[in-house]
Amino acid sequence: MAVAVRLALIVLLLLGPGGWGHTEPSRDSLREELVITPLPSGDVAATFQFRTRWDSELQREEVSHYRLFPKALGQLISKYSLQELHLSFTQGFWRTRYWGPPFLQAPSGAELWVWFQDTVTDVDKSWKELSNVLSGIFCASLNFIDSTNTVIPTASFKPLGLANGTDHYFLRYAVLPREVVCTENLTPWKKLLPCSSKAGLSVLLKADRLFHTSYHSQAVHIRPVCRNARCTSISWELRQTLSVVFDAFVTGQGKKDWSLFRMFSRTLTEPCPLAAESRVYVDITSSKQDNETLEVNPPPLTTYQDVILGTQKTYAVYDLLDTAVINNSRNLNLQLKWKRPPENGYIHYQPAQDRLQPHLLEMLIQLPANSVTKVSIQFERALLKWTEYTPDPNHGFYVSPSVLSALVPSIVASKPVDWEESPLFNSLFPGSDSSSYFVRLYTEPLLVNLPTPDFSMPYNVICLTCTVVAVCYGSFYNLLTRTFHIEEPSKGGLAKRLANLIRRARGVPPL
Amino acid sequence: MAANSFRPRVLTALAGLLALSFGSLADSRIEDQAEQFFRSGHTNNWAVLVCTSRFWFNYRHVANTLSVYRSVKRLGIPDSHIVLMLADDMACNARNPKPATVFSHKNMELNVYGDDVEVDYRSYEVTVENFLRVLTGRVPPGTPRSKRLLSDDRSNILIYMTGHGGNGFLKFQDSEEITNIELADAFEQMWQKRRYNELLFIIDTCQGASMYERFYSPNIMALASSQVGEDSLSHQPDPAIGVHLMDRYTFYVLEFLEEINPASQTNMNDLFQVCPKSLCVSTPGHRTDLFQRDPKNVLITDFFGSVRKVEITTETISLQPDLGIMESSNKEDQIDEERMEPLKYAEQLPVAQIIHQEILTDLPYLNKVHGGQEVD
């Protein structure tokens, strides 16, 4: 009894202030999410977002203990009195026409924009020092940022976080379009994550897959946010985003089926133990397009609907902290498959063979109502041999017209009459169905102007060659095969003497 | 009587002699141990690896530098002690059929770029001026730590340079060059400022031996891939990538280094034999006259690795929680000033505010126009 009391006392003492019983909740939290969006062009976009939120007033305190928030960035905020920092590295360009609108686009190269607090006296000096420090942290040439590429925007780039004044004198913006993004920029970015690349969603961040993409953008955003709904105190939010677009033809080998393993060559094995939330979202809004349905495997346990960028979207949600989704014995390898219903179309294509047969393309298509369908085909004409040209090659070459055969629905149902007895203009196409009629249309033939050779050239070449051969070869032949010897002119000859007499008489020089 | 007193004296003398000899033996063993402990004389290792060539067809120079980087990291030198300068980006080059990789063997066996590379000076930052500033330590204020060579007088530094060179110079990025005299003077500055203990200089360029002819500072050992008048040749092209992947000398050096581990006792004489003329076509050279120790006593890991001497102690230290810090942190938790009014986010595109704002600039000409008079 006494022993128990003494034990209890000892236990109480240990749990007192200054002991081990520190039950205060941690002041920082990590949320990580991955959004997979199948794009209309067959590619797939993956966007990672890691958000570390720290409930602390960095400006006022002397902070010495960093848990989830990286120390390198926390020290920057206090040393340079930052209000906000946005830094992005991008390779490639987001093709909105083919891929749809992006969540957050960034310019090609490196972009840095910073809001300083109004306690800073020399903003330009802090800006220069800050870009030097960041160039060391992220292994990038940000030290080339100086007054020649820095501007102070006055209309846009308002603070994305809490702000009590927006005097744009404290804003600086610079972009370096020549900056290359490669593994050496990804490595320090990964090191800022609490779980590094060991657990959670960051195991998928392998450089050799992430840079084999059409678009790669990684960014760091630091801003102050509201701590609670009343918004009476500040928390600091560090948001690290990474967007990549995997190309269907380069990485996907032409197929539209995707899986985590195919994209990242890894699967998810466990959530990050330091994360409060760890989720994967798959966009299933356009799950029916072009008569294909999207199937996500394994089937999601929950879905999420919201208005994103102006349109209603539906997402399949996989919560990695839920043991039903992922546990020790099971990896998560999400698979997206497009299933085609049985085709009711037909395509027949017979390619051309030179001097044997032309191209033949036949397609049976169902046209959707109130739409415009364009069919185009690219072809090449091989160069002809010079004897195969027509006498007037500059006229051009003809491409035969295309044929469109269609069954058009009738507005008025026709009565089935004896087809043979109808007037001639109605008895061309036998119609079996009274609700539609058959029609055959043709397009214009195409006259294509192709480059033609200069037909006088063979004659010119023959003349020139023969001349050269005759002059050179002939002279050489003569030089080599003929011998030259001096001939004495003959003295005598009766005819010659007679001729000389006559010449002397005339006064002309003799022979 | 005399014999009786003599014997104990002899015994004590003998005992004394034995004790002395044991003592001296023990002393010499301790001395040996101490000497082994400080045999090489250095306490930390640094590496400065420079690739000076730009353009895709100089892929092999980047692969050379990255192979040495990989070996040096594998043998223990951390990224914070390596200054890596690459004049062009080959891994994420648009012409690279396998992005984010740099291969050293054909058939793509070894990716020397790896997954956690940290390049300190890249692209346009690799200039003669920046290289000399890194070596001598005279960097502009505000240079981050990862871009500085923070060595002291007990540091062993490995300097590796590769690129295109000639008799007495090395070309940087096709636009400038560094001469052997400048390099020798930079090393002398380092010696005067006690920035190194021992220095190993390796160069893989054409006529590389000309670069170390002018050194005059002590404790420098130099290796080059070819003599004056000879060209260093490249190893093998890869048909998929389309360029030559490595230079011969560095290829065989990499093969040699792949067999070294942090505990190996291989010495510098083996490194001198690495690429004979039959394999390299050029004659590799070396210079050891400025170096004080015998090369056969110098371990490879003295320069390429970062072998730390560790002394294990069995003492335990118990840490008491500091009540002062805990009390102050508790207080901070409680004093969380709550503001009177809620804070709010700024409007992203406040049209009215933008149109009616007054832009206070310090452009002098604006004031002049306002005044309506011509001012110089």
Side-chain angles (χ1 to χ4, degrees):
Chain A
M1 187 43 190
V3 173
V5 167
R6 239 178 265 152
L7 271 175
L9 276 172
I10 293 170
V11 163
L12 276 172
L13 276 171
L14 279 174
L15 287 177
W20 280 99
H22 228 197
T23 51
E24 155 211 313
S26 53
R27 305 178 71 180
D28 46 15
S29 66
L30 169 71
R31 271 172 66 176
E32 51 178 29
E33 67 183 32
L34 163 63
V35 181
I36 299 182
T37 318
L39 298 169
S41 56
D43 311 320
V44 69
T47 309
F48 290 85
Q49 278 204 53
F50 299 90
R51 194 213 64 172
T52 307
R53 205 172 91 163
W54 194 17
D55 299 333
S56 152
E57 305 261 355
L58 272 169
Q59 283 86 8
R60 284 188 288 141
E61 299 175 354
E62 297 266 321
V63 183
S64 56
H65 181 61
Y66 291 86
R67 199 178 76 107
L68 295 180
F69 201 92
K71 180 173 166 182
L73 297 179
Q75 286 182 327
L76 277 186
I77 299 176
S78 23
K79 178 160 186 208
Y80 295 107
S81 303
L82 298 181
Q83 176 83 10
E84 285 194 13
L85 181 131
H86 301 274
L87 172 63
S88 70
F89 296 100
T90 311
Q91 171 206 63
F93 184 69
W94 182 274
R95 311 254 160 221
T96 314
R97 195 194 299 184
Y98 302 115
W99 297 340
F103 285 124
L104 185 68
Q105 196 182 1
S108 227
E111 183 200 44
L112 174 66
W113 58 280
V114 173
W115 275 93
F116 290 91
Q117 290 176 9
D118 40 16
T119 52
V120 173
T121 44
D122 191 345
V123 179
D124 289 312
K125 178 161 164 285
S126 301
W127 169 248
K128 182 83 191 135
E129 286 176 18
L130 177 67
S131 38
N132 274 327
V133 170
L134 286 172
S135 88
I137 297 178
F138 289 99
C139 290
S141 316
L142 296 175
N143 48 321
F144 286 141
I145 291 179
D146 55 11
S147 62
T148 58
N149 46 28
T150 307
V151 289
I152 307 178
T154 56
S156 183
F157 292 103
K158 299 289 179 207
L160 287 174
L162 295 172
N164 51 3
T166 56
D167 183 0
H168 58 258
Y169 173 68
F170 294 102
L171 167 66
R172 292 290 183 276
Y173 175 91
V175 68
L176 295 173
R178 180 65 168 103
E179 199 59 27
V180 171
V181 188
C182 207
T183 313
E184 66 254 22
N185 306 112
L186 183 65
T187 308
W189 189 93
K190 277 198 288 192
K191 284 189 184 163
L192 295 174
L193 297 172
C195 271
S196 192
S197 48
K198 310 274 189 300
L201 293 174
S202 40
V203 298
L204 299 176
L205 300 173
K206 288 294 158 202
D208 54 343
R209 307 298 301 168
L210 289 179
F211 287 100
H212 204 48
T213 51
S214 318
Y215 176 80
H216 172 106
S217 174
Q218 63 194 58
V220 170
H221 301 280
I222 304 178
R223 59 178 183 159
V225 292
C226 294
R227 196 181 293 194
N228 45 30
R230 282 172 301 147
C231 209
T232 44
S233 38
I234 290 183
S235 296
W236 283 91
E237 180 193 82
L238 164 69
R239 196 184 278 249
Q240 290 177 255
T241 59
L242 192 137
S243 280
V244 284
V245 174
F246 291 99
D247 196 307
F249 289 98
V250 173
T251 340
Q253 282 125 32
K255 297 192 212 103
K256 276 165 67 163
D257 295 335
W258 291 102
S259 71
L260 281 184
F261 188 78
R262 202 205 230 141
M263 292 193 268
F264 302 107
S265 68
R266 293 283 182 291
T267 55
L268 292 167
T269 48
E270 51 168 340
C272 175
L274 301 167
E277 276 178 35
S278 184
R279 295 212 178 116
V280 179
Y281 293 88
V282 181
D283 185 348
I284 49 176
T285 320
S286 46
S287 54
K288 286 186 180 15
Q289 49 167 251
D290 302 333
N291 279 338
E292 282 180 321
T293 48
L294 173 65
E295 187 193 280
V296 188
N297 201 6
L301 298 170
T302 46
T303 55
Y304 171 73
Q305 291 208 354
D306 203 352
V307 177
I308 313 269
L309 293 170
T311 48
Q312 178 81 12
K313 294 214 190 233
T314 315
Y315 291 91
V317 183
Y318 295 87
D319 192 346
L320 296 184
L321 294 171
D322 186 0
T323 46
V325 173
I326 191 172
N327 52 32
N328 281 343
S329 56
R330 192 165 53 167
N331 289 1
L332 179 63
N333 183 17
L334 283 172
Q335 284 167 335
L336 284 80
K337 279 203 187 43
W338 289 93
K339 287 227 149 60
R340 285 183 165 271
E343 299 241 322
N344 52 359
Y346 171 78
I347 291 189
H348 173 234
Y349 175 62
Q350 195 178 37
Q353 279 179 307
D354 280 353
R355 301 180 184 88
L356 275 184
Q357 65 188 28
H359 289 291
L360 170 64
L361 174 64
E362 292 179 274
M363 293 188 290
L364 177 65
I365 18 181
Q366 229 170 7
L367 298 176
N370 288 327
S371 64
V372 174
T373 306
K374 265 194 208 168
V375 176
S376 60
I377 175 171
Q378 260 184 344
F379 65 95
E380 282 178 10
R381 286 202 88 109
L383 278 180
L384 295 177
K385 298 180 187 167
W386 70 295
T387 45
E388 294 171 346
Y389 279 93
T390 55
D392 60 345
N394 297 308
H395 180 76
F397 295 89
Y398 282 93
V399 177
S400 17
S402 316
V403 186
L404 183 68
S405 316
L407 264 182
V408 185
S410 288
I411 303 173
V412 178
S414 59
K415 293 189 278 280
V417 289
D418 191 1
W419 178 66
E420 275 292 310
E421 293 307 315
S422 333
L424 289 177
F425 61 80
N426 204 14
S427 63
L428 272 172
F429 296 113
S432 50
D433 199 355
S434 60
S435 64
S436 56
Y437 59 93
F438 182 78
V439 69
R440 187 171 282 152
L441 304 172
Y442 291 85
T443 63
E444 278 183 67
L446 194 58
L447 181 60
V448 181
N449 212 347
L450 290 176
T452 50
D454 181 357
F455 290 103
S456 60
M457 273 316 283
Y459 171 74
N460 295 341
V461 169
I462 292 171
C463 283
L464 189 65
T465 322
C466 289
T467 311
V468 168
V469 164
V471 166
C472 295
Y473 176 70
S475 319
F476 267 111
Y477 180 77
N478 284 336
L479 276 172
L480 291 173
T481 53
R482 294 191 190 195
T483 55
F484 296 92
H485 54 265
I486 299 175
E487 216 175 73
E488 291 291 320
S490 56
K491 283 276 168 100
L494 185 65
K496 193 165 168 205
R497 267 196 240 133
L498 268 174
N500 275 339
L501 271 171
I502 299 170
R503 279 181 159 237
R504 226 185 292 138
R506 282 172 62 198
V508 169
L511 286 168
Chain B
M1 269 273 283
N4 274 347
S5 66
F6 188 61
R7 240 162 124 214
R9 248 184 246 161
V10 167
L11 275 171
T12 48
L14 268 174
L17 266 173
L18 274 169
L20 262 176
S21 63
F22 271 128
S24 67
L25 260 178
D27 264 343
S28 64
R29 209 175 296 139
I30 291 175
E31 257 183 41
D32 268 340
Q33 271 184 344
E35 200 187 288
Q36 272 225 319
F37 203 83
F38 292 112
R39 191 160 73 149
S40 56
H42 73 281
T43 57
N44 57 78
N45 285 82
W46 286 80
V48 178
L49 311 172
V50 185
C51 161
T52 57
S53 304
R54 178 167 277 276
F55 305 122
W56 173 245
F57 50 81
N58 289 322
Y59 183 101
R60 59 189 186 277
H61 298 140
V62 172
N64 289 349
T65 318
L66 286 172
S67 318
V68 179
Y69 173 78
R70 173 205 146 77
S71 310
V72 145
K73 238 171 112 151
R74 194 175 55 82
L75 292 171
I77 303 187
D79 270 314
S80 53
H81 282 221
I82 303 178
V83 176
L84 178 61
M85 303 171 81
L86 296 180
D88 202 358
D89 165 60
M90 300 301 169
C92 288
N93 196 313
R95 286 165 137 142
N96 192 348
K98 295 225 156 212
T101 58
V102 172
F103 290 106
S104 66
H105 281 69
K106 78 173 175 194
N107 299 329
M108 306 196 200
E109 285 160 20
L110 185 59
N111 173 18
V112 289
Y113 199 60
D115 212 17
D116 60 346
V117 59
E118 285 185 22
V119 181
D120 301 303
Y121 285 84
R122 49 183 207 161
S123 189
Y124 298 133
E125 293 173 291
V126 178
T127 57
V128 173
E129 182 188 339
N130 281 348
F131 174 61
L132 292 177
R133 282 187 186 277
V134 163
L135 286 184
T136 54
R138 289 150 68 173
V139 287
T143 312
R145 281 182 78 107
S146 56
K147 288 183 164 174
R148 294 182 193 229
L149 179 65
L150 299 166
S151 55
D152 53 29
D153 64 324
R154 289 262 144 252
S155 308
N156 273 11
I157 308 185
L158 164 72
I159 298 186
Y160 176 84
M161 302 183 75
T162 182
H164 288 288
N167 190 355
F169 68 91
L170 169 62
K171 192 167 72 155
F172 266 70
Q173 291 213 43
D174 232 13
S175 65
E176 45 182 8
E177 57 281 326
I178 184 173
T179 57
N180 48 7
I181 302 173
E182 281 174 3
L183 195 56
D185 287 341
F187 287 160
E188 177 64 15
Q189 281 192 49
M190 287 172 80
W191 174 251
Q192 296 288 338
K193 288 168 76 163
R194 296 288 179 265
R195 278 169 69 77
Y196 69 90
N197 175 40
E198 284 171 347
L199 202 130
L200 175 64
F201 176 75
I202 306 183
I203 184 159
D204 187 348
T205 62
C206 301
Q207 309 194 49
S210 63
M211 288 306 281
Y212 61 63
E213 276 173 358
R214 301 287 194 133
F215 291 166
Y216 55 94
S217 319
N219 286 353
I220 301 185
M221 190 187 318
L223 281 101
S225 60
S226 55
Q227 302 293 333
V228 175
E230 286 182 345
D231 287 337
S232 288
L233 301 176
S234 58
H235 188 62
Q236 30 167 239
D238 180 281
I241 299 182
V243 285
H244 286 261
L245 295 185
M246 282 269 272
D247 277 332
R248 281 176 191 251
Y249 181 70
T250 312
F251 181 80
Y252 290 107
V253 167
L254 175 67
E255 248 184 30
F256 171 79
L257 289 174
E258 286 285 298
E259 273 145 44
I260 310 274
N261 55 49
S264 80
Q265 300 290 311
T266 333
N267 56 38
M268 279 295 164
N269 277 341
D270 302 324
L271 187 59
F272 295 156
Q273 313 300 324
V274 150
C275 200
K277 195 169 164 98
S278 54
L279 287 174
C280 254
V281 185
S282 58
T283 322
H286 53 93
R287 179 177 177 178
T288 52
D289 57 318
L290 295 165
F291 204 74
Q292 279 170 10
R293 292 192 284 152
D294 192 347
K296 74 171 191 297
N297 291 334
V298 180
L299 297 178
I300 299 281
T301 49
D302 280 351
F303 289 102
F304 285 89
S306 182
V307 181
R308 308 295 180 113
K309 303 280 196 291
V310 175
E311 192 187 293
I312 302 178
T313 169
T314 49
E315 267 180 47
T316 51
I317 305 173
S318 52
L319 296 167
Q320 304 296 327
D322 191 336
L323 295 173
I325 292 182
M326 291 204 169
E327 273 173 20
S328 59
S329 71
N330 278 342
K331 272 196 215 135
E332 277 157 11
D333 290 342
Q334 285 145 24
I335 307 176
D336 252 342
E337 273 179 37
E338 297 248 326
R339 292 173 172 75
M340 289 300 111
E341 308 135 12
L343 304 152
K344 49 189 195 332
Y345 292 100
E347 246 192 79
Q348 288 303 298
L349 209 59
V351 175
Q353 193 210 0
I354 294 172
I355 295 175
H356 297 298
Q357 67 183 321
E358 280 180 14
I359 301 177
L360 299 164
T361 60
D362 50 351
L363 293 169
Y365 76 92
L366 269 184
N367 291 332
K368 288 169 203 166
V369 169
H370 260 306
Q373 295 168 17
E374 300 247 345
V375 184
D376 282 326

